[in-house]
Amino acid sequence: MKIVVCVKYVPDPASQPRFTAGHTVDRENVPGRLSELDEYAVEQALRVVDAAPDTHVTHLTVGPPQAAEALRRALAMGGHAAVHVSDDALAGSDASATALVLAAALRRLTPDLVLCAMASTDGGTALVPAMLAEHLELPQLTFATEVSVDAGTVRVRREAVQATEELAAELPALVSVTDRIGDPRYPSFKGIMAAKKKSLQTWTLADLGVPADQVGAGAARTVVDEITARPPRAAGTAVQDDGEGAWHLAEFLATKKFI
Amino acid sequence: MAGIFVLVGHIEGQVGKPSLELLTLARRLGTPIAVCSGSAPEALGQYGAERVHVIESEDIGAHPIGWVQALAELAADTPPDAVLTEATPHGREIAARLAVRLGGGVLTDAVDVQPGPDGPVVTQWAFAAGFTVTARVARGVPIIAVKPNAVVPTPAPVEPAVTRARLVPDEASLRTRVVSRSVRESTGRPGLTEADIVVSGGRGLAGPENFALIENLADALGGAVGASRAAVDAGWYPHTHQVGQTGVAVSPQLYLAVGISGAIQHRAGMQTSKTIVAINKDGEAPIFDLADYGVVGDLFQVVPRLLDEIARRRA
Ligand SMILES: Cc1cc2nc3c(=O)[nH]c(=O)nc-3n(C[C@H](O)[C@H](O)[C@H](O)COP(=O)(O)OP(=O)(O)OC[C@H]3O[C@@H](n4cnc5c(N)ncnc54)[C@H](O)[C@@H]3O)c2cc1C
């Protein structure tokens, strides 16, 4: 079986985000990393390998040159190979263009199972998995909290707003996983060393047959006109509880008409 | 005026507040055209839906892709000027797939939508709600997933024209099978994303039995119950109540954080609340940096006394 895990290189959530002149997220000039939520998807792929060692796992990303770091990190966790779609024309791509390019790469990689995180930790729109499923005409099983693959069928459990659901589909299929699905493993020293020797290919748009005018800032379907930092919330009053804390809080809630 | 498709959710005729908010926003942009399943609830006309498309299909409610097909078929008939959905996982999936199918552009997590010279202008909060973003769709149909509480729903009664269409799911729609579905029992409390008041508990609660304190406080204030991931991971409270980056994002009038430190991932889901109150025994906890009012103290002392004080004031 072939699994492809789609991963993203994102600004480190601990650092202050920066934006390009075109109001897109600056991923090149700030410290970045493999999106934490993607580690859960990588972990699930590796668990399939643990159970069925003939499974082949490829990590796939679309991103600037630095995004190779995210692939190295995923490879250090495990898996066999990585593909980095990188092209100057991609700068400023929105979710639609990113999904278009990932879909083109997935068509070439022909996986049985596509694994994604529930969302990225930067944009956080959760759009790309569903867009990929639509492009590739794959059944989508999203927001999984449990996943199992057996005899050509994938099953997931998910906690939707109103119900707990079990979904199933025949492979090929696309699954997105949440951070409830099981803690990702930490790369071992051996894993980090081994990752350096694993295949990491770089593909361009021309390799994928995607016309450059369908991606990048010029083709973006969505445009950001303005980004402004919200004024930080000012810390208000804090009282030390000396037995009267609850009374003071009740006073505050009453003046605000909550009681 | 052009049509604005509004995907409406209702349970046996009870239209959810978020759907009424969508209809209210749609009126700013054009003529609201509600799309729903089963029946055409009266509330849709009361909130300005000039047209209601009722999709008849046994199990369309559960799975997004049936809705994608239904909306795409309607759009093929009369292309809308915009499509509005709720920014729930369900609504986002529909928005994402529909955008690919219609060649539209999609914006999620709208906290405001206004008409503009080049189509709807959408306001979003990004990066743990640290930034305000104004965006629009430059190519294709604007498809906008809107967060709850983006607007106060206001009635504008009309007599809607109701049309019914039967959906014959295409092969792609049937490939994801719903094997089982157990609907969660209602707690009787307001829904987390819609509530005006949210009371959340964290690791400081020290055990599942103590969540009764949070529930009692929520009930005393007429609010919903939330939880931090630490409390959810420990199995103290169901995941559907998790507030934060990988839970739900809430924006109530009052958010009360009890025994929660205020990690960035938690803040991502609550820092746009109008008023924030924290109860935490550690005066250095980051939650105090954003709290309008804080009590530095032991929650097991403060919360029971607060409950007494609320009861005393009400008596
Ligand atoms: C990818 C990712 C996604 C995440 N998503 C989320 C998310 O959606 N939501 C979320 O909440 N977290 C999320 N987290 C986890 C987050 O980083 C924190 O670990 C979590 O929010 C901590 O929960 P807490 O505040 O309850 O626990 P802690 O950080 O342990 O804080 C407990 C607090 O309780 C106080 N306390 C203890 N005893 C008492 C007492 N008797 N009286 C008063 N106060 C007391 C302590 O002083 C402390 O401040 C995510 C993390 C990652 C990596």
Side-chain angles (χ1 to χ4, degrees):
Chain A
M1 189 170 69
K2 281 198 280 187
I3 301 180
V4 174
V5 190
C6 298
V7 300
K8 187 176 184 186
Y9 177 76
V10 297
D12 189 332
S15 67
Q16 182 68 8
R18 288 180 28 185
F19 305 95
T20 65
H23 298 308
T24 61
V25 178
D26 184 350
R27 290 190 182 80
E28 303 198 34
N29 303 305
V30 293
R33 53 164 297 163
L34 169 64
S35 173
E36 271 171 299
L37 290 172
D38 291 342
E39 293 180 0
Y40 294 87
V42 172
E43 175 62 30
Q44 288 307 311
L46 301 180
R47 289 190 191 180
V48 177
V49 179
D50 293 343
D54 59 341
T55 307
H56 187 276
V57 174
T58 303
H59 308 298
L60 168 66
T61 199
V62 171
Q66 295 90 326
E69 276 175 43
L71 292 175
R72 285 284 173 221
R73 168 86 186 182
L75 284 170
M77 290 175 70
H80 304 89
V83 171
H84 181 186
V85 184
S86 183
D87 199 303
D88 288 346
L90 285 165
S93 291
D94 62 0
S96 297
T98 306
L100 182 81
V101 177
L102 282 170
L106 287 166
R107 276 194 198 97
R108 258 185 73 170
L109 291 164
T110 61
D112 302 292
L113 179 64
V114 181
L115 279 170
C116 299
M118 59 185 279
S120 63
T121 58
D122 57 349
T125 63
L127 292 173
V128 168
M131 287 179 160
L132 288 178
E134 180 70 22
H135 277 297
L136 300 167
E137 294 182 42
L138 290 176
Q140 73 184 97
L141 303 87
T142 49
F143 295 92
T145 56
E146 270 174 53
V147 61
S148 64
V149 191
D150 183 38
T153 303
V154 59
R155 291 170 195 282
V156 311
R157 197 183 156 81
R158 72 199 304 240
E159 293 173 42
V161 182
Q162 283 144 357
T164 301
E165 296 171 343
E166 268 173 51
L167 307 179
E170 306 314 310
L171 297 178
L174 178 142
V175 170
S176 78
V177 306
T178 74
D179 59 338
R180 313 235 334 123
I181 198 149
D183 283 342
R185 64 196 66 188
Y186 204 76
S188 64
F189 180 70
K190 210 174 121 215
I192 295 167
M193 295 316 286
K196 296 191 174 145
K197 298 200 193 80
K198 290 178 184 170
S199 149
L200 195 165
Q201 290 189 50
T202 306
W203 293 352
T204 62
L205 290 173
D207 292 334
L208 292 173
V210 175
D213 62 2
Q214 288 188 16
V215 300
R221 296 188 169 275
T222 56
V223 288
V224 171
D225 289 322
E226 212 183 317
I227 301 180
T228 45
R230 284 163 61 85
R233 284 190 87 103
T237 319
V239 296
Q240 195 77 36
D241 181 37
D242 49 7
E244 303 283 291
W247 184 85
H248 287 295
L249 177 50
E251 275 295 301
F252 174 79
L253 294 176
T255 53
K256 291 271 179 180
K257 305 252 182 317
F258 292 119
I259 39 181
Chain B
M1 273 224 281
I4 310 295
F5 284 180
V6 178
L7 190 56
V8 169
H10 67 95
I11 297 171
E12 281 159 28
Q14 275 305 108
V15 181
K17 183 165 156 252
S19 293
L20 303 181
E21 293 167 3
L22 294 185
L23 286 170
T24 305
L25 288 176
R27 296 204 307 262
R28 294 181 183 167
L29 307 176
T31 308
I33 301 177
V35 183
C36 62
S37 68
S39 62
E42 249 174 59
L44 302 182
Q46 276 155 22
Y47 284 80
E50 305 224 357
R51 222 166 226 299
V52 179
H53 284 294
V54 181
I55 310 294
E56 294 175 344
S57 168
E58 279 65 49
D59 53 8
I60 190 170
H63 216 269
I65 183 136
W67 286 108
V68 177
Q69 190 192 333
L71 289 164
E73 284 174 7
L74 288 171
D77 214 40
T78 17
D81 263 17
V83 181
L84 304 184
T85 71
E86 289 176 42
T88 54
H90 183 77
R92 278 168 209 275
E93 270 182 50
I94 294 169
R97 287 192 92 129
L98 192 65
V100 174
R101 217 171 274 197
L102 300 182
V106 51
L107 292 165
T108 58
D109 298 298
V111 294
D112 193 19
V113 184
Q114 296 286 350
D118 308 311
V121 176
V122 170
T123 307
Q124 302 161 303
W125 290 326
F127 284 96
F131 293 82
T132 304
V133 175
T134 324
R136 79 201 136 73
V137 171
R139 281 193 179 72
V141 192
I143 301 171
I144 305 164
V146 182
K147 282 173 67 126
N149 293 338
V151 69
V152 177
T154 49
V158 289
E159 195 57 56
V162 179
T163 54
R164 296 179 164 271
R166 182 137 197 98
L167 181 78
V168 183
D170 57 28
E171 197 262 330
S173 305
L174 297 170
R175 270 189 267 157
T176 304
R177 301 192 304 278
V178 180
V179 179
S180 73
R181 186 159 202 272
S182 55
V183 176
R184 234 165 264 114
E185 263 177 56
S186 161
T187 58
R189 297 193 180 90
L192 197 48
T193 53
E194 300 160 30
D196 284 335
I197 296 180
V198 175
V199 183
S200 287
R203 205 198 304 270
L205 267 298
E209 63 286 357
N210 298 326
F211 256 87
L213 280 174
I214 302 297
E215 290 181 338
N216 291 343
L217 188 51
D219 291 344
L221 295 167
V225 175
S228 72
R229 189 173 100 169
V232 168
D233 281 355
W236 300 347
Y237 220 69
H239 170 68
T240 40
H241 293 261
Q242 181 178 315
V243 171
Q245 186 190 330
T246 54
V248 289
V250 299
S251 209
Q253 296 298 317
L254 171 66
Y255 187 85
L256 224 150
V258 183
I260 291 177
S261 62
I264 175 111
Q265 296 90 351
H266 187 78
R267 292 159 69 144
M270 47 68 74
Q271 69 179 346
T272 58
S273 305
K274 293 266 169 8
T275 299
I276 296 174
V277 169
I279 301 172
N280 194 307
K281 68 177 181 192
D282 174 9
E284 301 291 306
I287 191 79
F288 287 118
D289 297 342
L290 50 152
D292 299 286
Y293 201 87
V295 178
V296 183
D298 182 356
L299 73 93
F300 295 105
Q301 303 286 324
V302 178
V303 176
R305 287 199 188 123
L306 179 60
L307 283 166
D308 287 347
E309 185 59 29
I310 295 171
R312 196 182 64 77
R313 284 169 192 247
R314 292 246 164 90

